[in-house]
């Protein structure tokens, strides 16, 4: 029975993404899927050959140059790369089991074959090569994208992506600014729109609570919700209050002054809660929702990847399903909805967000920038936590010849 579950889970994971990740029998990698005749074999990149602390990061000038193997792919020359807490976690092996499954659904390759791994989930750059089926982009287009965690990341000179993961970059932003947005934007969009059911047409005057509002997702969510007309309450530390109010937060609760559930309970109840913190928040947060009105609690802190890392793919997914189903049922009888939110790469979502950025409804929040040679220092900064926006690495200075 366990082997059957294992095979079913492998099949399911194989179909999660629109872009295939497995070589089919008879597939010839030498077949041309792009019109570009230029060929390089190596490029500069920061890679890691094993999981661990910051010392596993290694700079090389001989990383494998990406090759288009499917006609819907594009190669992007990276100008700037955004870092997220997920990158620090992935460096330590977080999600390794699930991401390895996504890379190799049929378990053809040996364990450890994912190395060397390049981190970085956000990219802003210029398209250098297009697959034959790519119609919406052409060489020289300035683009941005959120990179799925099972793919090679943006801490490299070039990165390969599916065209449906890419969007034209906002004209009003530099590459350095644009690289601070895609991953947090796609995550926020997935949580609030896909899972939370919000849109610019139904968000006016809704009461939104963002638990943990000064980080990457929190700062983006504040701006998006305010652009759509919602009333936004945020929890953060006292020294971040002015910062989040500057982004549009209507009400701020200081978590350093004591348990936040007490001042929050004194407020009018909420239509949606976005939880970026997890932990104890789940115990009291659902009591703050409006009962029997479709109100939702959406948390981005889930045990899914921890379960698959600890228990394996099959048992981890079963444990995850049991957990989320039991919690959803427990709260449904109280008249509120319990949901998990996940990152979902989406070029169309970034298209919508680009319009909001160019309309000055959303601005990038860059806390600190690093040169390409300073990637280890950027990770050290990320590990300290208490972010007030994003950390961005400049791979190539704008204005350089392509």
């Amino acid at each position: 029975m366990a082997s059957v579950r294992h095979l079913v889970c492998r099949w399911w994971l194989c179909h999660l993404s629109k872009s295939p990740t497995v070589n089919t029998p008879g597939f010839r990698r030498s077949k041309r899927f792009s019109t570009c005749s230029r060929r390089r074999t190596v490029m500069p990149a920061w890679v890691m050959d094993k999981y661990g602390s910051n010392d596993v990061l290694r700079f090389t000038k001989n990383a494998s140059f990406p090759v288009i193997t499917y006609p819907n792919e594009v190669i992007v020359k990276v100008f700037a790369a955004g870092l997220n807490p997920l990158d620090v976690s992935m460096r330590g092996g977080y999600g390794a089991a699930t991401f390895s499954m996504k890379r190799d659904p049929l378990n053809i390759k040996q364990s450890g074959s994912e190395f060397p791994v390049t981190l970085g989930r956000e990219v802003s750059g210029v398209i250098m090569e297009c697959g034959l089926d790519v119609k919406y982009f052409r060489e020289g287009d300035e683009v941005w994208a959120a990179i799925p965690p099972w793919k090679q990341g943006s801490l490299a000179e070039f990165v390969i992506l599916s065209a449906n993961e890419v969007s034209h970059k906002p004209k009003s932003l530099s590459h350095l600014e644009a690289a601070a947005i895609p991953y947090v934007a796609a995550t926020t969009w997935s949580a609030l729109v896909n899972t939370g059911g919000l849109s610019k047409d139904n968000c006016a005057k809704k009461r939104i609570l963002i638990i943990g509002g000064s980080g990457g997702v929190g700062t983006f969510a504040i701006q998006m919700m305010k652009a759509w007309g919602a009333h936004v309450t945020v929890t953060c530390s006292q020294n971040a209050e002015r910062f989040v109010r500057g982004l549009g937060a209507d009400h701020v609760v200081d978590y350093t002054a004591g348990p936040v559930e007490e001042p929050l309970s004194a407020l009018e109840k909420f239509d949606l809660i976005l939880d970026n913190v997890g932990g104890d928040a789940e115990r009291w947060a659902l009591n703050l929702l409006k009962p029997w009105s479709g109100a939702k609690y959406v948390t981005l802190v889930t045990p899914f990847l921890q379960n698959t890392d600890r228990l394996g793919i099959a048992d981890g997914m079963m444990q995850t399903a049991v957990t989320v189903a039991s919690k959803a049922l427990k709260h449904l009888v109280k008249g509120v909805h319990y949901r998990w939110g996940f990152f979902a790469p989406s070029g169309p979502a970034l298209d919508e967000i680009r319009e909001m950025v160019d309309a000055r409804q959303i601005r990038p929040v860059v806390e600190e920038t690093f040169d390409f040679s300073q990637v280890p220092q950027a990770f050290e900064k990320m590990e300290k936590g208490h972010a007030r926006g994003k950390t961005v690495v400049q791979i190539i200075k704008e204005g350089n010849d392509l």
Side-chain angles (χ1 to χ4, degrees):
M1 184 64 182
S3 62
V4 173
R5 293 201 310 269
H6 191 67
L7 288 173
V8 169
C9 290
R10 285 188 179 280
W11 179 91
W12 182 79
L13 280 168
C14 182
H15 288 75
L16 274 176
S17 173
K18 290 184 179 180
S19 57
T21 57
V22 60
N23 294 331
T24 54
F27 179 78
R28 295 180 60 192
R29 296 183 63 87
S30 60
K31 184 175 179 180
R32 290 186 61 186
F33 284 97
S34 80
T35 57
C36 182
S37 60
R38 293 169 295 181
R39 285 291 176 264
R40 290 177 53 179
T41 58
V42 296
M43 65 177 178
W46 283 90
V47 301
M48 58 182 190
D49 303 304
K50 61 181 179 179
Y51 299 115
S53 56
N54 220 28
D55 58 3
V56 302
L57 296 173
R58 173 176 65 87
F59 179 76
T60 178
K61 293 184 178 180
N62 297 308
S64 296
F65 192 86
V67 177
I68 289 179
T69 54
Y70 296 97
N72 69 326
E73 292 179 328
V74 296
I75 294 177
V76 176
K77 185 179 182 70
V78 182
F79 275 66
L83 295 183
N84 295 274
L86 177 63
D87 292 301
V88 177
S89 299
M90 287 180 61
R91 187 196 63 192
Y94 176 71
T98 301
F99 301 151
S100 293
M101 178 73 75
K102 281 294 297 174
R103 298 183 190 106
D104 183 22
L106 300 181
N107 198 27
I108 296 172
K109 301 177 183 178
Q110 295 181 347
S111 176
S113 61
E114 70 268 27
F115 297 112
V117 169
T118 301
L119 299 172
R121 296 303 110 201
E122 291 170 307
V123 59
S124 182
V126 174
I127 289 188
M128 297 301 293
E129 185 176 343
C130 294
L132 294 177
D133 285 352
V134 176
K135 307 300 181 186
Y136 190 55
F137 303 100
R138 60 184 179 182
E139 292 181 21
D141 284 355
E142 292 189 327
V143 296
W144 62 347
I147 304 171
W150 53 87
K151 293 188 175 183
Q152 294 287 29
S154 55
L155 292 176
E157 189 178 3
F158 295 89
V159 67
I160 190 164
L161 293 161
S162 297
N164 58 5
E165 296 163 349
V166 178
S167 169
H168 288 102
K169 180 183 75 67
K171 294 180 180 179
S172 59
L173 298 184
S174 67
H175 286 294
L176 205 61
E177 293 170 321
I181 292 179
Y183 185 85
V184 294
T187 301
T188 304
W189 188 276
S190 176
L192 296 180
V193 177
N194 300 345
T195 304
L198 298 180
S199 71
K200 60 183 178 182
D201 299 320
N202 68 9
C203 210
K205 298 183 180 180
K206 285 192 183 296
R207 290 181 53 79
I208 311 297
L209 170 62
I210 301 172
I211 302 175
S214 62
V217 171
T219 56
F220 185 87
I222 292 170
Q223 296 181 84
M224 190 170 87
M225 290 295 93
K226 289 305 300 177
W228 287 354
H231 180 282
V232 179
T233 299
V234 170
T235 70
C236 64
S237 64
Q238 183 181 20
N239 61 13
E241 179 174 353
R242 184 176 179 181
F243 169 61
V244 297
R245 285 192 183 276
L247 297 174
D250 297 289
H251 189 84
V252 180
V253 176
D254 174 17
Y255 69 75
T256 65
V260 294
E261 59 264 38
E262 295 178 11
L264 287 173
S265 297
L267 302 176
E268 182 182 343
K269 290 188 180 294
F270 297 95
D271 296 287
L272 186 139
I273 297 174
L274 176 64
D275 185 1
N276 300 305
V277 176
D280 188 55
E282 189 175 300
R283 176 182 56 80
W284 48 262
L286 284 101
N287 296 324
L288 305 176
L289 290 170
K290 298 176 182 178
W292 307 109
S293 64
K296 295 182 178 70
Y297 166 87
V298 181
T299 179
L300 292 170
V301 185
T302 78
F304 172 58
L305 293 178
Q306 291 178 338
N307 285 344
T308 54
D309 286 341
R310 181 171 55 91
L311 301 173
I313 296 295
D315 290 339
M317 290 179 64
M318 291 191 68
Q319 178 64 52
T320 297
V322 170
T323 300
V324 69
S326 61
K327 289 185 176 183
L329 184 60
K330 171 186 174 182
H331 295 290
L332 186 60
V333 298
K334 299 178 182 179
V336 296
H337 298 274
Y338 176 95
R339 297 286 187 270
W340 286 355
F342 295 96
F343 161 75
S346 173
L350 291 178
D351 288 343
E352 298 270 357
I353 291 159
R354 180 188 67 239
E355 295 180 3
M356 299 174 71
V357 171
D358 281 337
R360 301 296 195 272
Q361 294 176 318
I362 292 176
R363 63 180 174 87
V365 182
V366 180
E367 182 178 24
E368 193 167 354
T369 61
F370 294 84
D371 292 334
F372 195 27
S373 62
Q374 298 176 306
V375 166
Q377 292 93 315
F379 272 81
E380 289 174 1
K381 184 264 173 188
M382 292 284 296
E383 287 183 283
K384 294 177 181 177
H386 302 289
R388 299 290 179 269
K390 294 298 297 296
T391 298
V392 179
V393 177
Q394 186 173 47
I395 310 299
I396 300 173
K397 291 184 179 181
E398 296 184 51
N400 284 10
D401 291 337
L402 297 179

